[in-house]
Amino acid sequence: MSTSVSGSSVGSNRSSPVKPNTASITSHIRSEWSKFIYPHRNTEISKSDMKELMCPVDYNDKDWIRSSDAAPEPLHSDTAEEYVDYLNEMSTASLVQNDNGPGYRITFAETGSKPPANHPTGTQCRPDIVAYKQQNPQRFDEADLNWSHLETTGEIYSKKESKAGTEAQAGAYTAYHLQARPDRVSVSGIWLKKEDKTFQLFITSACQVYHTSILSIKDHGAPSLFFAFVWSLYYPDVDPSISINTNVPLPTFTVRVSDQETYSGLKVSFTGDAIGRRTTIMTRNGLSATVIKEQYIEDGRRFNEGELLDIIHEKGVFPGVVRVGTYGPVEDQGSRISIMHKPDGHRAIVRYKTRLVLKDKGILLSKVKTIRQLLMCCYDLLEVIRNADKHRGILHRDISSGNVLVRSKHRSDNEPFAKDLGDMCFCKCLLAQSKDDSDGPSLKEKFDTDLLLTDFDSAEDKNLNNPEDSRVPKARTGTPIFMARMVRNTTHFQGIFRLPVILDVHEDVLSRYEKLYPDRVQDFPKQSRPELVEVPPNQKVDPTDFQHKQCYDAESVFWYLVWWSLLARPAYVSPNEPIPPVTWSSLTGAKDSRHFNFILPDTTFDLHSAYSEFASLLEEMRTHLIADLQFSKDPIKHRPDYLTEVFQRLILNFLIENKDKRFMVLKKSDTNREVELAAGGGAVMSKTPASGPATYASLIGNSVRSSTNVSLANKSSEGSLPPGGNSSTHGSNRGSPFPVLGPKRAFKKATLKKSRINKPTTSISTVSSGTKRGRELDELSDEDESEAKRYSRTREPRRVSAQSVKSSPTRPESGASSSQQNSAKRRHIGE
């Protein structure tokens, strides 16, 4: 069998390989997922392997599956209705042959012109065929199917599209189905071509999309494959700790964490990319703050998020950080639920399912309405970053749009705050009016913040960072557009630069600042003059020697502010003022040109005119990023929290100096600014926040084409979101967890035409979806010559091919039920 893989293996004590941010992929739009993700995440397997994946339990005893005697009559016409009837006859025959039927019938149906509703990403894509459980009595109408009702999806070949295109769509539908069903470890799907009566079967998990070759329905072995396919729908690959009530108009999930801990009435409020970590967030409506977070994590590749949160809160509640309850691996019959993919010549990829019960939830910080709220939360974010590093030795390493929240409500419990956090104090307390508090503010007053920092699954515990520890993280990680330039590129920009002095604290708050932060006044004294710093040429860091620093997380806060303010438009009716495509591509593109287009002098931020005064803060912040601080000869600049202190003072002074300015309280629209089409009419796409409620780590995305602009607003068309919808990020990746690698025959890449730095007239055909959540990024190819040349050329991703899928050693207990054995065994091929 052949497959495309993410590259060579990386030892647990090596740096994270970093890949370029993949331009123009908005994964909740089916056409983009099909073109840019499916080609590098699909594997063709044999008929026998597909049968074993779909029907692994006592397969050899199922004579009726192996023979064609029980199969319905072959197809006589090439209509879609005939295919649906044939599949329904197969479903009926399966029930007749299986005396221990489950008590319901799998019914296949055409979707017509109406897509299934309520997908967690808000996608409006529509499979041609779906199947659902028909129960008696049926409590919902077939016309009102939700994605969570579905048992499988299917695509019928269209003459308007290529065979490869419709095959990729069939694969994409299985990925969307997986996102809507956290109770499933894998799902099945089908592709059909009416004209020549051919088909393909699919099975998708967080590791890969597996499919057969194109097969004829007239083949002798075809009925047995169809029976195996239908069997997989009656006995699906499930996580037995999650149950779903599908016999209601809007299905909900029940999660059993333990015999004493069960949560019901859950819905999927966020889902990450289906292949990769497959992050799923489930919440309950109402006042409940409980959040269930599930992922499929590669073992030994990162720190345990639950353990890190325990460390952070071990001495009491650490303010501004999400709290954790129960966490750990998810088991089936005493064995951890796992999936495996084994490419030829490469290490096996094994992912284990993990679950965390979190005690706090909130909305995305990107949804705050005013710059004043934004800056107060960003000040508090910097305060959390510096104190988590100072007092707990924890670096977050992925400060990004999906991980920074505003608490939806204040804690009502009585868990005490940690008392070992020194002078930690948030913005509300610092800006509070003077009062008679000779003893100083209480912990409750000092720790009053709306901020909620989440998603520590890429974080690092510096206290455990040694070569002998198997949990040593991959050093280079994060979401590309928010990553510090040094983290993303492992290159220092050469030249002689002027680093300004650290700003004095504004006189209006100086006395309170000195009282609340006595050590900071001493640690960061007044500086006499700016410093000229020389960065020699060829200062490229070996990725294996890279170490993350607090200043890199502080720089991520700067990029967050740039991203938020660039998208912001006022709520009142205002001129369109689209974002110039060069500006947007500089921030979100596959090439990291942020240094040249946002950091160097004489570059502009292109904010909406209503918020133009905010640019002065960004301009001051960027002057401190012009050169890497490690080349400074000033020992104060080598302090781990120097840049954090600089940014906090700049934000604090800006809040005070502009407290009466209208732009500080001018409400931001729920609809983001549009990105102007580049010269030549090339499309510009991006993930961006939209309107509607969002919960923990929910990242909203839209991409709608128009004749003049690409709207980032909430619209009702394929790929756009209904109010309140959300889409995956991050990805995240983070870039994206999907590698842009694979067989040359299947590769199709977005083009980003060469552009000269700071030349707005340059034609650009695509712009990346910058907010994809990208960790485990694939390594950039070697840079050469000058930085400007390096960032202005288009780099084609590497292509690596490999083969075969191999089994996992995990087997279910012999006493497990047939459905449980079915789930456990089908996760691996070739045992």
Side-chain angles (χ1 to χ4, degrees):
M1 306 163 218
S2 63
T3 184
S4 43
V5 298
S6 58
S8 59
S9 63
V10 180
S12 62
N13 62 344
R14 291 178 60 84
S15 165
S16 169
V18 177
K19 71 182 175 188
N21 190 16
T22 308
S24 290
I25 297 177
T26 306
S27 59
H28 72 282
I29 298 179
R30 185 207 61 206
S31 59
E32 295 194 30
W33 200 98
S34 301
K35 289 179 182 178
F36 302 114
I37 295 175
Y38 176 78
H40 321 296
R41 282 302 202 186
N42 80 90
T43 297
E44 183 177 310
I45 62 177
S46 68
K47 294 184 289 185
S48 60
D49 281 336
M50 182 60 75
K51 287 179 184 178
E52 187 172 344
L53 277 176
M54 289 187 163
C55 184
V57 178
D58 299 326
Y59 174 74
N60 291 326
D61 295 334
K62 305 295 182 185
D63 293 331
W64 59 274
I65 290 182
R66 296 204 312 275
S67 71
S68 59
D69 296 341
E73 289 294 320
L75 293 169
H76 298 290
S77 67
D78 59 1
T79 64
E81 293 83 1
E82 179 89 1
Y83 273 96
V84 170
D85 289 343
Y86 183 78
L87 290 169
N88 279 321
E89 289 174 13
M90 277 285 182
S91 178
T92 301
S94 297
L95 283 176
V96 170
Q97 296 294 331
N98 184 9
D99 295 334
N100 298 316
Y104 56 83
R105 184 179 185 276
I106 297 295
T107 299
F108 291 85
E110 289 186 85
T111 57
S113 59
K114 185 176 180 181
N118 296 315
H119 193 274
T121 69
T123 184
Q124 296 295 298
C125 68
R126 178 186 57 81
D128 294 321
I129 297 174
V130 297
Y132 63 94
K133 289 181 181 179
Q134 189 174 43
Q135 302 173 74
N136 189 20
Q138 191 82 4
R139 294 189 174 90
F140 64 93
D141 192 280
E142 183 181 290
D144 298 323
L145 286 173
N146 282 263
W147 274 93
S148 296
H149 282 124
L150 305 186
E151 301 299 321
T152 192
T153 57
E155 174 73 1
I156 297 177
Y157 170 77
S158 170
K159 293 181 180 179
K160 297 179 181 179
E161 300 189 50
S162 66
K163 180 266 166 190
T166 53
E167 175 194 312
Q169 289 176 14
Y173 292 138
T174 63
Y176 290 133
H177 187 200
L178 200 62
Q179 289 176 314
R181 294 297 297 263
D183 59 317
R184 296 292 173 85
V185 179
S186 66
V187 295
S188 303
I190 191 168
W191 174 89
L192 299 159
K193 185 176 180 182
K194 297 180 294 184
E195 288 77 10
D196 56 8
K197 296 183 175 61
T198 55
F199 71 99
Q200 283 179 288
L201 296 181
F202 292 78
I203 194 164
T204 299
S205 71
C207 273
Q208 199 76 354
V209 180
Y210 301 108
H211 62 85
T212 62
S213 60
I214 297 177
L215 305 169
S216 173
I217 293 176
K218 299 178 182 179
D219 289 349
H220 176 72
S224 65
L225 275 171
F226 273 101
F227 273 130
F229 168 62
V230 173
W231 174 276
S232 73
L233 307 184
Y234 280 106
Y235 300 97
D237 186 5
V238 298
D239 170 358
S241 68
I242 304 179
S243 59
I244 180 173
N245 181 7
T246 57
N247 199 19
V248 290
L250 187 59
T252 58
F253 298 91
T254 297
V255 175
R256 180 178 54 80
V257 178
S258 67
D259 292 339
Q260 296 76 36
E261 188 176 3
T262 300
Y263 299 91
S264 59
L266 297 166
K267 66 175 184 178
V268 179
S269 58
F270 166 81
T271 178
D273 295 305
I275 302 179
R277 292 189 304 163
R278 193 188 158 191
T279 301
T280 301
I281 304 297
M282 290 180 279
T283 58
R284 290 189 286 192
N285 290 328
L287 299 178
S288 172
T290 301
V291 174
I292 308 294
K293 177 180 180 181
E294 298 187 337
Q295 292 181 307
Y296 286 78
I297 299 295
E298 286 190 60
D299 199 34
R301 296 293 298 277
R302 62 182 72 245
F303 287 112
N304 182 295
E305 181 177 8
E307 291 178 359
L308 290 177
L309 290 172
D310 268 352
I311 292 171
I312 292 173
H313 295 290
E314 64 182 349
K315 297 182 181 179
V317 173
F318 193 109
V321 175
V322 67
R323 296 169 299 153
V324 66
T326 307
Y327 62 86
V330 182
E331 296 185 346
D332 180 1
Q333 295 293 311
S335 298
R336 296 173 66 182
I337 292 178
S338 65
I339 51 176
M340 173 184 277
H341 177 61
K342 178 63 173 70
D344 270 356
H346 296 272
R347 66 174 179 84
I349 300 172
V350 183
R351 293 185 176 275
Y352 294 93
K353 186 171 186 179
T354 62
R355 178 180 293 144
L356 295 90
V357 179
L358 302 172
K359 299 180 180 181
D360 304 290
K361 68 179 179 181
I363 63 170
L364 292 171
L365 177 59
S366 60
K367 290 187 168 294
V368 298
K369 293 298 186 181
T370 68
I371 287 178
R372 177 178 173 82
Q373 290 175 288
L374 172 72
L375 290 180
M376 291 183 70
C377 284
C378 283
Y379 182 97
D380 293 353
L381 175 58
L382 290 162
E383 189 72 2
V384 168
I385 289 170
R386 77 189 297 168
N387 283 282
D389 182 16
K390 178 180 179 180
H391 297 289
R392 300 292 184 264
I394 304 295
L395 294 171
H396 188 277
R397 307 196 312 157
D398 188 23
I399 302 298
S400 57
S401 59
N403 299 337
V404 186
L405 310 183
V406 177
R407 190 184 297 275
S408 55
K409 67 170 185 173
H410 288 283
R411 293 193 300 121
S412 58
D413 56 75
N414 295 317
E415 286 190 60
F417 286 112
K419 297 181 180 179
D420 67 331
L421 300 179
D423 60 4
M424 185 177 187
C425 181
F426 291 114
C427 196
K428 285 182 184 179
C429 182
L430 189 58
L431 293 177
Q433 295 295 323
S434 297
K435 60 180 181 179
D436 184 14
D437 56 353
S438 55
D439 295 330
S442 65
L443 281 183
K444 184 177 180 180
E445 291 171 321
K446 290 175 64 177
F447 293 166
D448 184 12
T449 180
D450 295 327
L451 175 78
L452 191 62
L453 183 59
T454 66
D455 205 358
F456 280 77
D457 59 349
S458 289
E460 173 186 351
D461 182 356
K462 297 194 300 182
N463 300 315
L464 295 177
N465 199 359
N466 65 77
E468 303 302 321
D469 196 311
S470 63
R471 294 174 296 174
V472 171
K474 297 175 294 182
R476 299 171 62 210
T477 188
T479 304
I481 70 170
F482 303 107
M483 291 169 72
R485 293 153 297 147
M486 179 60 204
V487 180
R488 185 167 170 183
N489 305 298
T490 64
T491 301
H492 301 285
F493 298 100
Q494 70 179 72
I496 299 176
F497 305 101
R498 178 181 178 273
L499 281 175
V501 299
I502 188 171
L503 198 67
D504 292 334
V505 177
H506 196 281
E507 60 182 7
D508 287 3
V509 75
L510 179 59
S511 60
R512 189 165 179 83
Y513 187 92
E514 291 173 335
K515 184 175 182 179
L516 293 170
Y517 301 133
D519 292 341
R520 299 184 195 183
V521 176
Q522 297 177 12
D523 293 340
F524 303 100
K526 185 179 180 66
Q527 297 171 327
S528 58
R529 62 175 183 269
E531 178 188 10
L532 289 180
V533 175
E534 181 177 2
V535 181
N538 303 318
Q539 294 298 306
K540 185 171 176 63
V541 176
D542 184 345
T544 61
D545 296 329
F546 184 88
Q547 292 294 318
H548 202 88
K549 302 176 183 178
Q550 183 188 139
C551 63
Y552 298 146
D553 282 350
E555 183 178 335
S556 293
V557 177
F558 168 78
W559 294 116
Y560 183 93
L561 287 170
V562 172
W563 174 82
W564 188 96
S565 58
L566 192 59
L567 290 169
R569 65 188 300 176
Y572 67 82
V573 177
S574 60
N576 187 15
E577 299 190 29
I579 303 170
V582 168
T583 300
W584 188 242
S585 65
S586 297
L587 180 64
T588 66
K591 297 290 178 295
D592 188 3
S593 59
R594 295 173 299 165
H595 181 80
F596 301 100
N597 290 280
F598 292 103
I599 301 299
L600 293 182
D602 302 323
T603 56
T604 61
F605 289 97
D606 294 312
L607 308 187
H608 191 283
S609 59
Y611 297 111
S612 60
E613 293 174 86
F614 183 62
S616 63
L617 173 62
L618 301 177
E619 289 164 0
E620 286 192 84
M621 294 176 76
R622 76 177 175 189
T623 61
H624 293 271
L625 296 171
I626 192 71
D628 289 292
L629 298 176
Q630 71 181 68
F631 294 97
S632 170
K633 296 180 180 179
D634 182 357
I636 294 177
K637 292 187 177 69
H638 291 181
R639 289 183 56 90
D641 56 349
Y642 174 79
L643 188 63
T644 309
E645 178 70 15
V646 167
F647 284 176
Q648 284 188 293
R649 291 191 184 188
L650 287 171
I651 290 173
L652 180 63
N653 287 3
F654 191 86
L655 283 166
I656 296 171
E657 292 167 357
N658 296 276
K659 62 183 179 181
D660 297 323
K661 297 287 185 65
R662 180 173 179 266
F663 77 92
M664 292 289 287
V665 294
L666 182 63
K667 288 190 176 181
K668 179 178 74 75
S669 173
D670 291 330
T671 301
N672 290 315
R673 294 172 71 194
E674 299 169 341
V675 179
E676 185 177 20
L677 280 183
V684 180
M685 307 176 193
S686 175
K687 287 182 181 179
T688 56
S691 62
T695 52
Y696 171 79
S698 57
L699 194 56
I700 312 300
N702 292 287
S703 177
V704 183
R705 298 177 185 232
S706 68
S707 59
T708 56
N709 294 299
V710 176
S711 173
L712 305 183
N714 219 352
K715 296 186 181 295
S716 179
S717 63
E718 178 173 325
S720 62
L721 302 180
N726 59 49
S727 88
S728 60
T729 158
H730 57 222
S732 263
N733 176 25
R734 75 211 66 88
S736 167
F738 303 100
V740 186
L741 305 170
K744 195 168 185 176
R745 62 175 175 79
F747 182 79
K748 195 168 185 178
K749 87 180 181 69
T751 57
L752 181 63
K753 296 182 181 178
K754 293 182 179 180
S755 61
R756 296 183 182 274
I757 303 302
N758 298 328
K759 294 290 185 181
T761 58
T762 302
S763 175
I764 294 180
S765 60
T766 59
V767 172
S768 94
S769 61
T771 57
K772 283 188 299 291
R773 318 207 20 203
R775 305 157 176 86
E776 305 181 29
L777 309 174
D778 227 353
E779 185 152 2
L780 295 171
S781 60
D782 292 334
E783 289 80 14
D784 56 14
E785 299 175 352
S786 71
E787 285 84 354
K789 180 183 291 186
R790 173 160 61 91
Y791 285 107
S792 64
R793 76 170 183 271
T794 299
R795 184 180 296 112
E796 183 169 316
R798 297 174 291 121
R799 300 173 184 132
V800 182
S801 63
Q803 292 184 336
S804 93
V805 180
K806 201 168 183 178
S807 65
S808 160
T810 304
R811 285 183 180 271
E813 297 288 340
S814 59
S817 67
S818 62
S819 62
Q820 290 170 329
Q821 293 182 34
N822 190 42
S823 294
K825 291 181 67 177
R826 66 153 54 93
R827 296 165 195 160
H828 316 286
I829 293 179
E831 265 190 322

